[in-house]
Amino acid sequence: MLHPRLPPPRGPAGSRPVTMGVMKVVKTPQYFKTFQVKFRRRREGKTDYRARKGLTAQDKNKYATSKYRIVVRITNKDVCCQIIDAKIHGDVVICAAYAHELPRYGIKVGLTNYAACYATGLLLARRTLQKFGLDETYEGQTEPDGEMYCVEAVEDGPRPFTAVLDVGLVSTTTGNRVFGALKGAVDGGLDIPHSAKRFPGYDKAEKELDAETHRKYIFGGHVQEYMEMLQEDDEDRYQEQFAKFIAEDIGPDDLEEMYTSGHAAIREDPSAKPTTKEDSYPDLKKKKMSLSQKRDRIRQKIASYKNKMSKEGGDDDEDEASDE
């Protein structure tokens, strides 16, 4: 290595100083042999494996004791809540509840808002406890008031069903709908470690939860306020955005009663209703065409296009003749 104060070496007399050339970085076969491909669901951006390890790892001294997760996923048209147990061979779904089941309990519209997430979480909790024979021991919060609630174990009896919340890749912001499903499951009797910091109505400065605001969200009060605002300001948008509500004859004042009766119906019979299966289903897969069929289809398209162009040309000539 040259001393920083020394000038660069010179070549023969009259030539330029000698400099190092630019080397191209080539990834050798040895590099590709040692490259480790990430898991498929990580490549697809579907699973956070660092979070999954923390949710599924069990203490060594608990041996094969199951560690349950309550998995909440929200799509554009549905809410999926599942109790899942991670096994060596893969995840096992213990129990599941979906928002598209809510119309059976009287909640026919608004199946993806905060109130629907709460009802779906409540349905999952009551269904799970019924499966394990704990539904009568742990009834949960029968009258939701928005307050912080945690299940307490009974003295002479089994301990409550415990699970941890798995939110996936969503941003855990205050008021997120996944916490509505969490609140519904906790009020339904499940023991899920949580705090009130992410519920709607939590004041970060005061560090306390406004239970009245949270109760409003549980019973669809925020949707009611929005419906009333649209009725006053933009009737056309109200007719378009709440068309399904209008078809079911549900107004802003009917939402709280709808959710209250829905919660009572869920507690009365949370069991899953099996879907009807048919002997055969129509084949919706498009059949492959042979080469002769493809060529014949192209000929038909060309003939149709020529026919269309000739008709348009004839119409233009008739218009010119009428103008003259």
Side-chain angles (χ1 to χ4, degrees):
M1 182 176 180
L2 294 176
H3 193 276
R5 293 187 179 180
L6 296 177
R10 302 184 66 86
S15 63
R16 296 180 180 179
V18 177
T19 57
M20 294 294 293
V22 179
M23 295 183 64
K24 181 181 178 182
V25 178
V26 180
K27 292 182 178 179
T28 61
Q30 287 75 17
Y31 168 84
F32 290 105
K33 286 180 180 178
T34 58
F35 180 77
Q36 185 171 358
V37 180
K38 296 183 184 299
F39 291 150
R40 176 180 58 82
R41 290 185 63 85
R42 172 61 187 88
R43 297 197 306 269
E44 296 173 351
K46 293 182 177 180
T47 299
D48 181 356
Y49 279 96
R50 178 175 293 181
R52 177 182 169 82
K53 184 179 179 181
L55 291 170
T56 58
Q58 183 63 285
D59 297 335
K60 292 289 186 180
N61 60 356
K62 294 183 180 178
Y63 301 101
T65 305
S66 296
K67 188 173 182 179
Y68 298 106
R69 312 189 329 266
I70 172 172
V71 179
V72 181
R73 299 291 184 267
I74 302 174
T75 65
N76 289 338
K77 294 185 179 181
D78 205 359
V79 178
C80 173
C81 296
Q82 297 173 322
I83 298 292
I84 293 181
D85 182 15
K87 299 289 187 182
I88 294 294
H89 56 81
D91 285 357
V92 178
V93 179
I94 306 301
C95 193
Y98 300 89
H100 65 253
E101 299 180 67
L102 296 180
R104 185 158 64 97
Y105 299 100
I107 305 174
K108 299 180 179 180
V109 289
L111 300 182
T112 54
N113 56 31
Y114 190 92
C117 292
Y118 177 90
T120 308
L122 177 65
L123 176 61
L124 175 69
R126 300 312 300 167
R127 185 172 291 174
T128 304
L129 294 178
Q130 185 186 59
K131 181 176 182 178
F132 287 92
L134 300 173
D135 52 336
E136 296 181 0
T137 306
Y138 296 99
E139 294 185 356
Q141 185 81 331
T142 54
E143 296 181 1
D145 54 4
E147 293 283 357
M148 180 68 180
Y149 173 78
C150 293
V151 179
E152 297 182 359
V154 296
E155 295 182 358
D156 300 328
R159 288 177 294 178
F161 187 93
T162 305
V164 291
L165 178 64
D166 183 345
V167 299
L169 303 178
V170 302
S171 299
T172 53
T173 54
T174 301
N176 197 303
R177 291 174 292 172
V178 295
F179 300 112
L182 164 67
K183 180 61 176 172
V186 171
D187 286 356
L190 296 185
D191 181 18
I192 304 174
H194 70 286
S195 67
K197 291 184 178 180
R198 292 305 180 192
F199 290 144
Y202 181 80
D203 191 345
K204 189 176 181 180
E206 299 293 334
K207 294 184 179 180
E208 62 180 12
L209 176 66
D210 184 2
E212 191 62 31
T213 302
H214 194 195
R215 185 187 182 280
K216 180 184 72 173
Y217 275 77
I218 291 174
F219 289 96
H222 58 301
V223 181
Q224 178 182 351
E225 292 178 356
Y226 184 60
M227 293 174 71
E228 292 173 350
M229 183 196 71
L230 283 184
Q231 282 181 332
E232 296 176 0
D233 299 342
D234 194 346
E235 182 66 25
D236 294 336
R237 186 174 179 182
Y238 172 78
Q239 296 285 340
E240 180 183 357
Q241 191 162 347
F242 292 96
K244 292 185 178 180
F245 286 71
I246 297 171
E248 296 291 342
D249 196 19
I250 298 175
D253 298 331
D254 302 326
L255 292 180
E256 184 170 349
E257 182 182 353
M258 178 182 72
Y259 288 114
T260 303
S261 59
H263 297 166
I266 288 172
R267 288 183 173 275
E268 184 178 350
D269 181 21
S271 58
K273 183 179 179 181
T275 57
T276 56
K277 304 294 183 181
E278 298 181 4
D279 297 334
S280 61
Y281 293 91
D283 187 11
L284 301 178
K285 187 176 180 180
K286 193 174 182 180
K287 295 182 179 180
K288 295 181 67 175
M289 293 189 297
S290 63
L291 179 61
S292 60
Q293 290 175 332
K294 291 179 181 179
R295 288 176 175 173
D296 185 54
R297 184 165 173 266
I298 293 174
R299 293 192 197 98
Q300 292 177 5
K301 282 189 173 183
I302 294 174
S304 175
Y305 178 75
K306 288 182 177 180
N307 189 19
K308 180 181 176 182
M309 295 302 295
S310 62
K311 285 184 178 180
E312 291 179 357
D315 295 339
D316 294 339
D317 295 340
E318 291 178 2
D319 294 338
E320 293 175 1
S322 61
D323 294 338
E324 294 177 357

